[in-house]
Amino acid sequence: MNTSKRQKQRKVLLMGKSGAGKSSMRSIVFSNYVAKDVRRLGATIDVEHSNIKFMGNLMLNLWDCGGQDGFVENYLTHQRAHVFSSVAVLIFVFDIESREFAADVISYSAIIRALSENSPTAAVFVLIHKMDLVQSRLRQQLFEERAEYIRQASEGFRDTVEFFPTSIWDQSLYKAWTQIIYYLIPNARGIEGLLRELAEVVDARELILYERTTCLMVTHVTRGAEGQNPFTDRFERISSILKTHKQSMAKHTGIPAGSANFAEMQIKTGRFMFFITRLTENTNLAASIPPSEQVFNAARVNIALVRPKFAELDIASKPRPAVQQA
Amino acid sequence: TGRLPNSKAGDGKPRLLLMGQRRSGKSSISSVVFHKLPPSETLYLETTTRIKKESMHSFMDFQVWDFPGHLDYFDPAFDVDNIFEEIGALIWVIDAQDEYLEAIMRLNTTILNLQHSYPNINVEVFVHKVDGLSEDYKGDTFRDIIQRVQDELSDHGYENAPVSFYQTSIYDHSIFEAFSKVIQKLIPQLPTLEALLNSLCSTCHIEKAYLFDIMSKIYIATDTSPTDIGSYEICSDYIDVVIDVSEIYGWDRPSENGDADLQETGNNDAESLITMERKGNNYLYLREINKYLALICLMGDDSPSEKKAVIDYNVGVFQAALKQVFPRAERDIVVQSPS
Ligand SMILES: Nc1nc2c(ncn2[C@@H]2O[C@H](COP(=O)(O)OP(=O)(O)OP(=O)(O)O)[C@@H](O)[C@H]2O)c(=O)[nH]1
Ligand SMILES: Nc1nc2c(ncn2[C@@H]2O[C@H](COP(=O)(O)OP(=O)(O)O)[C@@H](O)[C@H]2O)c(=O)[nH]1
Ligand SMILES: [Mg+2]
């Protein structure tokens, strides 16, 4: 079981009732759509496959499974083994506005059963979606109630299933997907260790590693007082800022969104200095450092120097055993 | 902050009046432009029942008066002089998605009424909510409205009325762009600013330079090369990036409280630069000019990205010149010194 090609593939099922918002989030996270573009999407017929290269060695094999009853029926019967075997992650999407929550949960249970038969070691993430449609003061409570109810119907995954409230209209989408991706990244620990060393060397307050195409965070290191930064959602906020910037550049210059990348962004103020620059083929590194030109320049030089080390990690690494083996 | 204490009303602050039919979008416009309300949340705004006066403190102070739609502005009970005396611009909002004949009628009555006592008022017509319309329909509606207004005014013997028309929506940048143009007419220093920006552009090979009001993202001047909305949008989105990141990392750090003055050599005016990956693509430069204004430049292909010192120097010169043009910075000092 070494680093053969097959092992780098991770099968990810995206399921949930028709209209729940699966294809919408997929298009935003992986295909450079903005939230208002998703109105153009039609219902998904059967399964739409996409292969998404992520961090060099990781290939997400995403199955966006159309949620109309007839299709689901088919997944559970004729295609049961085909759909549910060798799954690394199941992402199940609930529409918070659904009028038939109980029925949605029954359908979820049936899928959970098929999953535990065919891929007992898979991880399950449940997204409770379209939270923007709920008044903000009611959100948390409603989310918790629904999550608890769904947990009870999760059978063998009851203790491990994770829940996220999401909406395509704010950064909650990025928060959820960041966690999912983190789970899938092989060797996240190794990357983190290297990042921590780098942060010490360049005296950074914070370093954040972002995947380049999706702008999702891979991991981060926070030092000293920055740990008290009151913006605890800053990692996904920056994801969303980067993504928006990319789209803005694409839209107004006519460059396709996929290639509207900046080489570097710098911001210098009296309170902090910040830059984001390309680290490896698939990652950008964001650094927040003290407001000093010297530290700033030294940090940029040092980061340029460690690029090859990170490049190694990016390309060749071992899969996380927990995901693949029982 | 070093703001002038509010002196009595009407101390020369230009006044922007927002008028038009009920539900035409006046309150939405003022909330989105001046209070950063997300456009989708304007659905929950309540009908305005009284004149809402707001003061904006920026590079120059001005007031925005949001009028309820149903008011008869020339009702004798209404203090016309008090309303129109200090006015900078009358912004008339017409809902392009609705029947607009009555709106036009009232607009024309208003213009004709004002013509006698206040002939110099700029009338700015916002043909609003154009986001819901197809391109063709949008153009037809716009032309139709202009035609009807002009025809009727000339029927009353009023030719060449100082009326301008804009297509606007709160769902994109058009409302900011329209406001920018309205405000620029109220800035007496505009020609000087444009000349300064022109000279900066030619010395540094800058393709397009904007002077932005940071808070509202209205641009108060640009160089005189042709403007397209695309460049404005890039620059305006770029301010958001810088503001958002600055909010996240500009928080009050515990260690700073004690020895804030001993801070290291950081820039006090924020500065930012984005270089694009593909050669030949433009890059972006932002420099905070003072508390209110930021200079944003789209750099041309041949602008000296390596020679940043040249840019820094010239921007410094520009900044110094601007201090002379704009009394604002001086005023701040005057207020601060006696305290
Ligand atoms: N308000 C709100 N609407 C959303 C959100 N996400 C998606 N939608 C809307 O939900 C509708 C259905 O989205 P899709 O992504 O096509 O749904 P799907 O789950 O892929 O449906 P199937 O392909 O039929 O299974 C679209 O009209 C989206 O605009 C959200 O976060 N908030
Ligand atoms: N589609 C669209 N709707 C708008 C726009 N501007 C305002 N609206 C909507 O028009 C309605 C009336 O707006 P409001 O500001 O209360 O109107 P007012 O009575 O003139 O102050 C609200 O539901 C807004 O959301 C726009 O640019 N496009
Ligand atoms: Mg779909």
Side-chain angles (χ1 to χ4, degrees):
Chain A
M1 296 282 285
N2 273 325
T3 51
S4 78
K5 211 168 181 194
R6 202 174 56 82
Q7 284 175 331
K8 295 174 198 163
Q9 299 255 350
R10 290 282 194 280
K11 179 169 167 185
V12 176
L13 295 183
L14 187 52
M15 299 188 121
K17 207 170 73 162
S18 180
K22 303 179 289 297
S23 306
S24 305
M25 54 174 92
R26 176 181 58 117
S27 319
I28 292 171
V29 175
F30 297 105
S31 314
N32 291 308
Y33 274 54
V34 288
K36 58 177 193 284
D37 294 338
V38 304
R39 286 183 212 134
R40 296 200 309 253
L41 293 169
T44 307
I45 305 304
D46 205 13
V47 180
E48 266 177 40
H49 296 272
S50 33
N51 285 314
I52 299 145
K53 218 173 132 214
F54 201 94
M55 289 284 299
N57 62 324
L58 170 64
M59 179 73 92
L60 291 187
N61 197 208
L62 190 61
W63 295 39
D64 177 354
C65 305
Q68 295 174 41
D69 293 345
F71 299 134
V72 176
E73 183 66 37
N74 193 27
Y75 307 144
L76 288 170
T77 53
H78 305 299
Q79 301 201 296
R80 194 171 180 97
H82 173 62
V83 171
F84 291 100
S85 60
S86 41
V87 173
V89 163
L90 164 69
I91 302 169
F92 198 96
V93 185
F94 282 93
D95 179 349
I96 191 76
E97 283 251 290
S98 166
R99 305 257 163 80
E100 305 144 353
F101 178 58
D104 297 349
V105 177
I106 290 170
S107 164
Y108 165 77
S109 283
I111 282 164
I112 284 289
R113 211 162 303 134
L115 184 71
S116 61
E117 282 165 22
N118 292 280
S119 304
T121 59
V124 179
F125 294 90
V126 169
L127 310 186
I128 301 185
H129 192 57
K130 305 194 188 175
M131 290 303 285
D132 59 286
L133 298 174
V134 180
Q135 281 182 39
S136 46
R137 61 190 174 85
L138 302 176
R139 274 179 209 160
Q140 187 59 24
Q141 197 196 346
L142 189 59
F143 168 70
E144 281 167 15
E145 282 169 17
R146 293 276 160 102
E148 198 40 48
Y149 190 93
I150 299 167
R151 187 185 291 286
Q152 296 312 321
S154 301
E155 308 202 348
F157 298 99
R158 182 183 299 195
D159 298 328
T160 50
V161 53
E162 290 192 47
F163 296 90
F164 295 96
T166 53
S167 162
I168 55 170
W169 295 101
D170 61 38
Q171 65 262 16
S172 59
L173 186 67
Y174 290 95
K175 182 173 179 142
W177 281 86
T178 299
Q179 299 291 320
I180 297 169
I181 293 299
Y182 182 80
Y183 174 79
L184 286 167
I185 288 173
N187 210 13
R189 289 275 159 68
I191 298 175
E192 241 164 59
L194 211 49
L195 206 60
R196 181 159 294 282
E197 276 173 41
L198 180 61
E200 301 290 335
V201 173
V202 304
D203 193 23
R205 289 170 171 169
E206 186 155 85
L207 292 181
I208 316 172
L209 193 62
Y210 285 103
E211 199 280 331
R212 262 165 47 88
T213 27
T214 56
C215 302
L216 290 173
M217 175 174 79
V218 177
T219 181
H220 71 95
V221 168
T222 305
R223 292 172 69 236
E226 200 62 47
Q228 277 133 55
N229 188 321
F231 300 96
T232 50
D233 61 352
R234 61 190 179 281
F235 310 109
E236 53 268 17
R237 265 177 73 177
I238 296 173
S239 289
S240 160
I241 294 168
L242 294 177
K243 196 93 184 206
T244 311
H245 171 75
K246 198 168 174 175
Q247 261 131 10
S248 159
M249 289 307 283
K251 177 164 166 222
H252 307 308
T253 55
I255 312 171
S259 10
N261 294 314
F262 54 74
E264 180 166 4
M265 174 191 294
Q266 310 178 347
I267 297 175
K268 298 177 181 175
T269 76
R271 298 194 150 195
F272 69 92
M273 290 192 179
F274 176 86
F275 61 89
I276 304 187
T277 184
R278 176 101 170 231
L279 188 65
T280 66
E281 193 191 338
N282 302 292
T283 55
N284 278 333
L285 183 68
S288 161
I289 57 176
S292 147
E293 286 285 348
Q294 289 94 310
V295 180
F296 185 83
N297 293 330
R300 289 182 65 212
V301 172
N302 277 308
I303 286 169
L305 290 175
V306 299
R307 281 205 173 103
K309 270 200 183 175
F310 277 92
E312 270 169 43
L313 271 184
D314 200 359
I315 306 298
S317 50
K318 296 166 214 107
R320 272 164 45 129
V323 181
Q324 282 285 299
Q325 280 144 325
Chain B
T1 61
R3 247 171 224 155
L4 271 181
N6 267 344
S7 39
K8 72 175 181 47
D11 56 356
K13 292 181 196 169
R15 200 180 285 167
L16 301 176
L17 306 186
L18 275 169
M19 294 182 166
Q21 302 291 92
R22 188 181 284 189
R23 307 295 293 160
S24 57
K26 302 176 292 296
S27 309
S28 308
I29 291 174
S30 131
S31 318
V32 169
V33 176
F34 297 107
H35 299 287
K36 298 278 153 275
L37 189 75
S40 53
E41 278 174 35
T42 58
L43 291 170
Y44 309 112
L45 283 178
E46 282 172 19
T47 303
T48 314
T49 50
R50 309 179 22 232
I51 301 182
K52 223 170 116 201
K53 305 178 186 179
E54 297 189 81
S55 295
M56 300 298 153
H57 301 285
S58 186
F59 65 100
M60 73 181 194
D61 289 337
F62 53 90
Q63 300 187 356
V64 179
W65 287 20
D66 180 10
F67 281 71
H70 60 268
L71 268 190
D72 178 0
Y73 309 128
F74 294 94
D75 186 313
F78 221 65
D79 189 348
V80 176
D81 287 334
N82 188 25
I83 292 177
F84 291 101
E85 168 185 70
E86 304 267 347
I87 181 178
L90 167 59
I91 299 175
W92 193 279
V93 184
I94 295 180
D95 182 346
Q97 295 187 12
D98 197 10
E99 279 296 316
Y100 50 73
L101 292 184
E102 195 191 330
I104 290 178
M105 216 180 67
R106 289 185 63 208
L107 166 62
N108 283 333
T109 317
T110 308
I111 295 175
L112 292 169
N113 271 324
L114 286 177
Q115 184 208 351
H116 305 297
S117 357
Y118 306 100
N120 294 322
I121 290 177
N122 295 332
V123 179
E124 316 279 5
V125 179
F126 286 6
V127 176
H128 190 56
K129 305 195 194 178
V130 290
D131 51 278
L133 310 177
S134 72
E135 279 305 314
D136 284 351
Y137 188 77
K138 192 160 108 178
D140 290 347
T141 306
F142 191 58
R143 277 185 296 275
D144 187 50
I145 290 177
I146 298 179
Q147 195 67 50
R148 283 173 189 275
V149 173
Q150 285 172 345
D151 285 356
E152 205 172 317
L153 289 179
S154 53
D155 286 351
H156 286 83
Y158 192 17
E159 306 283 350
N160 303 322
V163 185
S164 315
F165 297 85
Y166 309 81
Q167 306 189 42
T168 58
S169 163
I170 51 171
Y171 286 96
D172 56 33
H173 294 73
S174 58
I175 191 66
F176 292 92
E177 163 117 286
F179 248 103
S180 300
K181 296 197 167 136
V182 168
I183 294 215
Q184 283 167 27
K185 291 188 191 166
L186 306 178
I187 302 175
Q189 303 93 330
L190 187 65
T192 320
L193 290 177
E194 286 177 345
L196 285 171
L197 287 166
N198 279 343
S199 124
L200 181 69
C201 286
S202 67
T203 39
C204 297
H205 300 271
I206 291 167
E207 210 157 79
K208 193 79 197 147
Y210 291 93
L211 198 56
F212 266 85
D213 178 48
I214 301 168
M215 277 266 291
S216 62
K217 294 203 288 165
I218 285 170
Y219 69 94
I220 65 162
T222 177
D223 63 288
T224 50
S225 71
T227 318
D228 70 295
I229 180 113
S231 346
Y232 168 70
E233 289 173 352
I234 289 182
C235 294
S236 154
D237 290 349
Y238 180 28
I239 292 194
D240 283 339
V241 171
V242 177
I243 290 179
D244 289 351
V245 174
S246 299
E247 190 190 2
I248 291 175
Y249 287 113
W251 60 289
D252 281 316
R253 279 158 226 283
S255 59
E256 263 179 6
N257 293 341
D259 49 7
D261 298 329
L262 301 178
Q263 268 301 310
E264 295 184 60
T265 58
N267 300 35
N268 284 316
D269 296 327
E271 185 193 37
S272 171
L273 191 67
I274 295 181
T275 46
M276 294 305 285
E277 189 167 72
R278 296 210 314 202
K279 281 269 173 293
N281 286 340
N282 296 348
Y283 68 98
L284 293 165
Y285 173 84
L286 174 148
R287 171 78 164 260
E288 193 180 14
I289 295 291
N290 60 36
K291 211 158 80 191
Y292 306 103
L293 300 177
L295 172 74
I296 303 195
C297 304
L298 277 168
M299 311 301 275
D301 276 350
D302 55 347
S303 50
S305 69
E306 285 76 39
K307 297 176 201 147
K308 194 161 161 297
V310 178
I311 298 174
D312 283 344
Y313 174 78
N314 284 290
V315 171
V317 171
F318 173 79
Q319 202 168 358
L322 204 67
K323 282 214 174 88
Q324 314 252 311
V325 183
F326 266 112
R328 184 76 207 193
E330 284 172 314
R331 271 207 264 160
D332 281 347
I333 295 161
V334 171
V335 177
Q336 271 161 5
S337 47
S339 63

